[in-house]
Amino acid sequence: MNKTVYLLCFLMVLFTSSCKSTKTLSETRVKKLNAEKIIANHYNKSFNFDTFNARIKVKYDDGKKSFSPSATLRVQKDKTIWVSVKMLGITLAKALITPQNVSYYEKINNTYFEGDFKLLSDWLGTDLDFDKVQQMLLGQALFNLRDDKYKSSIYEKTYQLEPKTELELFERLFLIHSDSYKIASQRLTQPKEQKGIHINYESYQKIGNQDFPKEIRIEALQESEKTVLEIDYKTVDYNAKVSFPFKIPSGYKQVTIQ
């Protein structure tokens, strides 16, 4: 496994199946709402937490290699994302993400990385930051939907939001569940660059009385290549005391990613 594969797996943020078909539902089944109301409801239903600690299963496949590690994911809201990756009960790597930095180390090749979000931003085709990573893990829109004007329609029991004015060279599409107002799917593409990321939340679960993702499928597309990452939240505990142990072992070699 090369260093790029490790970083993409550990951060779990770059990797939905294609957007659902555009078969129109009878609007008597889903209440028609304007985009402003849908967006307001989406943010009103944001998962409310200070910390969470989750055990997850990850499946990675880039068409050339695949593996399926387990991991522990811990988040302190707006401050820290910590991941510990294991296979066969052995810790293989750890990653620590803050609003300022991305760090990780892996034990197979005894290497470590310290830097910012540039690699992931370039690979995704849009600026990536801590907030986008956090929102992705919570079933929220990567972009702040309140920053633009959207038009709404109803497809496949979901509300579909499309920007009234699209970003230059960049297209966005959001599907939001009509009952929970959580993201069903978000699709971000750069047609001219033949890049895109599709994030599909295949199911949700109740944590306390709140909706939290259960299964996430992420497809990152670059020209003819596709990388698929599936995240399955096995257990989730929130607002408990958590720690973020992270220390790069001595003797490890620093790597740079260009």
Side-chain angles (χ1 to χ4, degrees), residues 49-50 75-80 99 130-131 134:
F49 75 105
D50 293 319
V75 177
Q76 183 177 17
K77 186 176 181 180
D78 301 332
K79 294 182 179 180
T80 308
F130 182 92
D131 184 65
Q134 181 174 255

Side-chain angles (χ1 to χ4, degrees), residues 14 24 72 78 97 107 139 150 161 168 170 174 181 194 219 236 242 254:
L14 293 184
T24 302
T72 300
D78 301 332
I97 307 171
K107 294 184 176 181
Y150 289 83
L161 296 180
E168 185 178 0
F170 200 79
F174 302 92
Y181 293 96
Q194 300 182 55
E219 293 184 3
V236 180
V242 295
Q254 184 171 11

Side-chain angles (χ1 to χ4, degrees), residues 167-184:
L167 296 173
E168 185 178 0
L169 304 178
F170 200 79
E171 297 177 358
R172 295 164 290 168
L173 182 69
F174 302 92
L175 297 180
I176 297 178
H177 286 294
S178 59
D179 50 357
S180 66
Y181 293 96
K182 303 295 289 186
I183 291 288

Side-chain angles (χ1 to χ4, degrees), residues 32-139:
K32 189 172 182 178
L33 296 176
N34 61 37
E36 291 76 12
K37 183 63 175 177
I38 296 167
I39 291 169
N41 288 341
H42 174 63
Y43 287 106
N44 287 338
K45 292 298 183 71
S46 297
F47 188 76
N48 185 23
F49 75 105
D50 293 319
T51 65
F52 78 78
N53 180 27
R55 183 171 61 86
I56 62 178
K57 187 69 175 179
V58 178
K59 293 182 180 179
Y60 174 92
D61 189 345
D62 64 8
K64 298 177 182 178
K65 62 183 70 69
S66 63
F67 49 94
S68 185
S70 59
T72 300
L73 170 66
R74 296 174 184 170
V75 177
Q76 183 177 17
K77 186 176 181 180
D78 301 332
K79 294 182 179 180
T80 308
I81 297 171
W82 177 93
V83 185
S84 176
V85 178
K86 294 183 178 182
M87 290 189 71
L88 302 176
I90 300 172
T91 299
L92 296 182
K94 288 185 179 181
L96 184 70
I97 307 171
T98 69
Q100 294 77 33
N101 298 298
V102 174
S103 303
Y104 85 94
Y105 67 85
E106 56 85 15
K107 294 184 176 181
I108 294 179
N109 296 306
N110 294 344
T111 62
Y112 74 94
F113 170 84
E114 289 185 309
D116 55 24
F117 290 89
K118 184 180 184 303
L119 169 73
L120 303 182
S121 296
D122 290 346
W123 194 80
L124 178 59
T126 186
D127 288 337
L128 186 67
D129 56 26
F130 182 92
D131 184 65
K132 289 186 176 69
V133 176
Q134 181 174 255
Q135 297 298 74
M136 182 185 291
L137 294 171
L138 297 172

Side-chain angles (χ1 to χ4, degrees), residues 175-198:
L175 297 180
I176 297 178
H177 286 294
S178 59
D179 50 357
S180 66
Y181 293 96
K182 303 295 289 186
I183 291 288
S185 179
Q186 46 190 328
R187 179 176 179 174
L188 317 171
T189 59
Q190 284 184 294
K192 289 187 177 181
E193 299 292 332
Q194 300 182 55
K195 287 183 179 181
I197 182 167
H198 302 168

